[in-house]
Amino acid sequence: MNSPETKTPAPVILTGDRPTGPLHLGHFVGSLRNRVAYQNEYRQFIMLADAQALTDNMDDTGKVHRNVVEVALDYLAVGIDPSQSTIFIQSQVPELAELTFYYLNLVTVARLERNPTVKTEIALRNFERDIPAGFLTYPVSQASDISAFKATLVPVGEDQIPMIEQCNEIVRRFNRLVNKDILVECKALVPEIGRLPGIDGKAKMSKSLGNTINLGDSEDQIRAAVKQVYTDPLHLKVSDPGHVEGNVAFLYLDAFDTDKAALEEMKAHYTRGGLGDSIVKKRLDLVLQEMLAPIRARREEFAQDKGQVLQMLKEGTMKAREVAAGTVDEVRRALGLSYF
Amino acid sequence: MNSPETKTPAPVILTGDRPTGPLHLGHFVGSLRNRVAYQNEYRQFIMLADAQALTDNMDDTGKVHRNVVEVALDYLAVGIDPSQSTIFIQSQVPELAELTFYYLNLVTVARLERNPTVKTEIALRNFERDIPAGFLTYPVSQASDISAFKATLVPVGEDQIPMIEQCNEIVRRFNRLVNKDILVECKALVPEIGRLPGIDGKAKMSKSLGNTINLGDSEDQIRAAVKQVYTDPLHLKVSDPGHVEGNVAFLYLDAFDTDKAALEEMKAHYTRGGLGDSIVKKRLDLVLQEMLAPIRARREEFAQDKGQVLQMLKEGTMKAREVAAGTVDEVRRALGLSYF
């Protein structure tokens, strides 16, 4: 006697950031913008992954602490609304560590060593044999983060898909073990717009590469950054035909200029020659200044009362704990770890 | 201006058992008897390591659950006094998982793989490449258990000393990292009396080998076990000279017979010949029956009100949580993970 109106539960999103530095245009394009849209449709949890950030910042824990509020300010500035999205601090939800503890029994060392994302990150950090155990096991920690909230959608880049697969393996293994569907599998939500390159043309905008434009940057900082934006190294004279592909100025305009018609015209002009980089950059500067000015203004406003930001984080964290504690309780009971 | 009466803090002991089966004479000799003595002198925490037991009992979680109360009954039966010793259930102190999470960043995978105790246990369990991550990382979990209570003494067998070293490495690494002596190093407390062999003469009394005499065994079970006790296979006729070394009956009498003079006489008689195994075993049966009767009686008494046992465990667990939470709070603050 199934009711035809049986509802499937609303999708739950888990997303977040490692609070190790200010968020930049790359974050904005790749995720922040989407979160502002998602929060209307989905139940969205946004995690400030301070505990995870420690895995490779144990030597600078102060940086992680400071950036928790800074990143929260970035969230508020771009329009993430704490009444629609639950923003929380990972370390303040100890239930996540507890799940990690149990999940560690559900995955082999060999399996973790085969994880392509972990492999890449290990190479990137020159860990070689001195991999901290917390680094090898961080897919397990991610599985805890995701499954604690029974998230069904996890926005990630293409390169993070193995983490999602690892999570689902743990979820299936757990459910099979306790013979009950307690945990929920999730899907990767890969954004349509790929990664934004750095202003220097490198594939990735990254604080450590010093090639970012940050959401909180001042007018002058933006202007200076735009001047440095990598264009077409073969476009020496204004009259020369220029290349649009790989030209960061145009890649940024593609991402942010809303006047698509004018942009296409500009591209055509640049390609046939006669359009100087300075004109393109002037347009880019205008577009970025217009887009970032209200974000910066909101950021500054929120920054005036950091106590209120902390209060918001506290409330979000309490809400998140409640959900995670519910899952931990189910997990513990299923494992027979319930006594009183 | 040091006061000459400055006191060093009282030693703190952490000890415990994996609740995977009833405790036996081996536990009694190797640890339970000592705990009854320690509780007068030291602050003693006794952990029912149910979460750790799961690392290799994920396929039989019910066994772990059942044995928590059974092992607690064994504790009470031998005279461990909950008003002097804090008995608690590991899984109900989630702070321990939280510490594990942080400590995982302080130890490398290579270091864990080199741990001799872990190596032996891996070989013992035929894990080979399919080692669950939770098994490889369990020295980190043990370091959490120990350091959460700032234990200074940890009763362990010789073979567990590498675990203590691993714990102290983590403690030192953490304190150096945060530049503050928050965690405390511990010492292994190796019991003078070594391991008790099984009734079959195998080096270790172990439930899985089926060669135990359990603390809760009935009179008949004890009698039957004593009959099977391995003696001297060359001692065929009563008149033959017998061997005392490696003779489990005498090893048990050494451990439990309080009439040392009579025992020495019996050994001499057995060695020169003319003393039958049946006489020796009769003595052993008498000694064990006398020792175990009051333990069994107390066990049965406590078992009549399992609700009260659970209440005792609940109170102990609450006390333990308070202590562990204090340490976690210090650890979190030192790592800059404190916001509200």
Side-chain angles (χ1 to χ4, degrees):
Chain A
M1 301 279 281
N2 277 326
S3 151
E5 284 162 58
T6 303
K7 280 184 198 162
T8 51
V12 178
I13 288 196
L14 177 81
T15 178
D17 299 278
R18 293 160 55 106
T20 52
L23 301 187
H24 50 61
L25 287 182
H27 297 110
F28 187 69
V29 166
S31 58
L32 297 178
R33 240 177 5 182
N34 299 333
R35 293 182 199 170
V36 176
Y38 294 150
Q39 67 187 354
N40 297 312
E41 299 169 66
Y42 305 124
R43 182 158 189 210
Q44 182 167 252
F45 291 91
I46 305 179
M47 179 173 79
L48 289 155
D50 62 339
Q52 201 205 97
L54 280 190
T55 51
D56 54 345
N57 285 283
M58 267 292 190
D59 53 344
D60 192 1
T61 58
K63 180 175 78 178
V64 175
H65 181 93
R66 277 192 312 279
N67 278 297
V68 161
V69 170
E70 293 304 314
V71 171
L73 284 172
D74 287 331
Y75 290 167
L76 297 171
V78 298
I80 292 174
D81 177 355
S83 76
Q84 291 184 290
S85 296
T86 305
I87 306 172
F88 69 97
I89 305 177
Q90 185 187 28
S91 70
Q92 308 302 301
V93 183
E95 287 76 11
L96 302 174
E98 208 177 339
L99 283 182
T100 302
F101 188 89
Y102 294 122
Y103 294 173
L104 281 172
N105 297 326
L106 301 177
V107 51
T108 66
V109 175
R111 176 66 183 88
L112 289 172
E113 285 173 343
R114 277 199 310 271
N115 186 309
T117 314
V118 173
K119 268 187 176 168
T120 310
E121 301 265 345
I122 284 170
L124 213 76
R125 285 172 175 79
N126 295 316
F127 277 143
E128 289 163 21
R129 287 311 292 157
D130 285 340
I131 313 157
F135 200 85
L136 183 70
T137 59
Y138 94 87
V140 184
S141 161
Q142 287 202 327
S144 304
D145 301 335
I146 295 167
S147 62
F149 300 100
K150 302 195 175 179
T152 51
L153 292 173
V154 183
V156 289
E158 202 81 54
D159 55 330
Q160 296 283 315
I161 289 179
M163 305 302 256
I164 303 296
E165 285 165 359
Q166 176 68 83
C167 173
N168 286 337
E169 270 179 47
I170 290 174
V171 163
R172 284 192 296 267
R173 190 127 193 241
F174 181 85
N175 287 346
R176 205 164 50 227
L177 188 76
V178 302
N179 203 19
K180 203 172 167 190
D181 283 344
I182 288 176
L183 302 177
V184 174
E185 289 191 55
C186 66
K187 282 206 181 88
L189 192 62
V190 181
E192 279 167 46
I193 297 180
R195 206 164 246 173
L196 206 64
I199 59 169
D200 56 0
K202 290 206 175 117
K204 195 178 167 183
M205 188 174 273
S206 151
K207 181 175 44 71
S208 59
L209 298 173
N211 62 2
T212 68
I213 296 175
N214 297 333
L215 296 177
D217 276 356
S218 68
E219 227 179 297
D220 289 350
Q221 285 172 312
I222 297 167
R223 190 166 303 118
V226 168
K227 279 206 179 107
Q228 287 181 56
V229 159
Y230 179 88
T231 55
D232 175 5
L234 302 173
H235 187 236
L236 299 174
K237 282 184 289 178
V238 171
S239 55
D240 285 346
H243 291 86
V244 164
E245 312 79 48
N247 186 320
V248 176
F250 281 107
L251 286 169
Y252 285 6
L253 284 169
D254 275 336
F256 303 114
D257 197 343
T258 49
D259 188 345
K260 296 300 174 197
L263 177 57
E264 287 315 308
E265 212 168 287
M266 194 181 248
K267 280 183 186 174
H269 191 174
Y270 191 81
T271 307
R272 73 178 176 263
L275 184 66
D277 278 4
S278 65
I279 306 288
V280 180
K281 289 193 170 180
K282 204 169 166 186
R283 174 67 192 165
L284 178 60
D285 184 59
L286 181 76
V287 166
L288 292 182
Q289 297 288 5
E290 273 184 3
M291 184 178 77
L292 291 175
I295 292 177
R296 184 172 54 241
R298 272 199 302 272
R299 202 183 188 289
E300 280 163 8
E301 206 185 307
F302 283 114
Q304 276 170 21
D305 192 351
K306 289 196 179 168
Q308 209 189 322
V309 177
L310 278 172
Q311 183 56 33
M312 175 279 285
L313 289 175
K314 192 175 177 179
E315 284 165 21
T317 300
M318 278 168 61
K319 260 197 260 178
R321 266 201 91 164
E322 215 179 293
V323 178
T327 305
V328 167
D329 193 53
E330 286 182 279
V331 163
R332 272 212 220 126
R333 273 173 205 283
L335 292 175
L337 300 174
S338 177
Y339 304 92
F340 309 130
Chain B
M1 300 279 280
N2 276 326
S3 151
E5 285 162 58
T6 303
K7 280 183 199 164
T8 51
V12 178
I13 289 196
L14 177 82
T15 179
D17 298 279
R18 292 160 55 105
T20 52
L23 300 188
H24 50 62
L25 286 183
H27 296 110
F28 186 68
V29 165
S31 58
L32 296 178
R33 237 174 11 179
N34 298 333
R35 293 182 200 171
V36 177
Y38 294 150
Q39 65 187 353
N40 297 311
E41 300 170 65
Y42 304 125
R43 183 160 189 205
Q44 182 167 251
F45 292 91
I46 304 179
M47 180 172 80
L48 289 155
D50 62 340
Q52 202 205 97
L54 281 189
T55 51
D56 53 345
N57 286 283
M58 267 294 190
D59 53 344
D60 191 1
T61 59
K63 179 175 77 176
V64 175
H65 181 92
R66 276 192 313 280
N67 278 297
V68 161
V69 171
E70 292 304 315
V71 171
L73 284 172
D74 288 331
Y75 289 166
L76 297 171
V78 298
I80 292 174
D81 176 354
S83 77
Q84 290 185 289
S85 296
T86 305
I87 305 172
F88 69 97
I89 305 176
Q90 185 186 28
S91 70
Q92 309 302 300
V93 184
E95 287 76 10
L96 302 174
E98 206 178 340
L99 283 182
T100 302
F101 189 89
Y102 295 122
Y103 293 174
L104 281 171
N105 297 326
L106 300 177
V107 52
T108 66
V109 175
R111 176 66 183 87
L112 290 172
E113 284 172 345
R114 276 199 310 272
N115 186 310
T117 315
V118 174
K119 269 186 175 170
T120 309
E121 301 265 347
I122 284 171
L124 213 76
R125 285 172 174 78
N126 295 318
F127 276 145
E128 288 164 21
R129 288 310 294 156
D130 286 339
I131 312 156
F135 200 85
L136 183 69
T137 59
Y138 95 86
V140 184
S141 162
Q142 286 203 328
S144 304
D145 300 336
I146 295 167
S147 62
F149 300 101
K150 302 195 174 178
T152 51
L153 292 173
V154 183
V156 289
E158 203 81 55
D159 56 329
Q160 295 284 316
I161 290 180
M163 305 303 256
I164 303 297
E165 284 165 1
Q166 176 69 82
C167 173
N168 286 337
E169 270 179 47
I170 290 174
V171 164
R172 284 192 296 267
R173 187 126 194 243
F174 181 85
N175 287 346
R176 208 165 47 229
L177 188 76
V178 303
N179 203 18
K180 204 172 167 189
D181 282 345
I182 288 177
L183 303 177
V184 174
E185 290 191 53
C186 65
K187 282 205 182 85
L189 192 61
V190 180
E192 278 167 44
I193 297 178
R195 207 165 245 174
L196 206 66
I199 59 170
D200 56 0
K202 289 208 176 118
K204 197 179 166 181
M205 188 175 270
S206 150
K207 182 177 41 71
S208 59
L209 298 173
N211 62 1
T212 69
I213 296 175
N214 298 334
L215 295 178
D217 276 357
S218 68
E219 228 177 298
D220 288 350
Q221 284 172 312
I222 297 166
R223 189 166 303 117
V226 168
K227 278 203 181 111
Q228 287 182 57
V229 159
Y230 178 88
T231 55
D232 175 6
L234 303 173
H235 187 235
L236 299 173
K237 285 184 288 179
V238 171
S239 56
D240 286 346
H243 291 86
V244 165
E245 312 78 50
N247 186 319
V248 175
F250 282 106
L251 286 169
Y252 285 4
L253 284 170
D254 275 335
F256 303 114
D257 196 342
T258 50
D259 188 346
K260 296 300 172 196
L263 176 57
E264 287 314 308
E265 214 168 282
M266 192 179 250
K267 280 182 186 175
H269 192 175
Y270 192 81
T271 307
R272 71 177 177 264
L275 184 66
D277 279 3
S278 64
I279 307 288
V280 180
K281 288 192 171 180
K282 204 170 168 186
R283 174 70 191 163
L284 178 61
D285 184 58
L286 182 75
V287 166
L288 291 183
Q289 297 289 3
E290 273 185 1
M291 185 178 77
L292 291 175
I295 292 177
R296 183 173 55 244
R298 272 199 303 271
R299 204 183 187 289
E300 279 164 8
E301 206 186 307
F302 285 114
Q304 277 170 21
D305 192 351
K306 288 198 179 166
Q308 208 189 321
V309 177
L310 278 172
Q311 183 57 31
M312 176 281 285
L313 288 175
K314 192 175 177 179
E315 284 165 22
T317 300
M318 277 168 60
K319 261 197 260 179
R321 265 201 91 164
E322 214 179 293
V323 177
T327 305
V328 167
D329 193 54
E330 286 182 279
V331 163
R332 270 213 220 126
R333 273 173 206 283
L335 292 175
L337 300 175
S338 176
Y339 304 93
F340 310 130

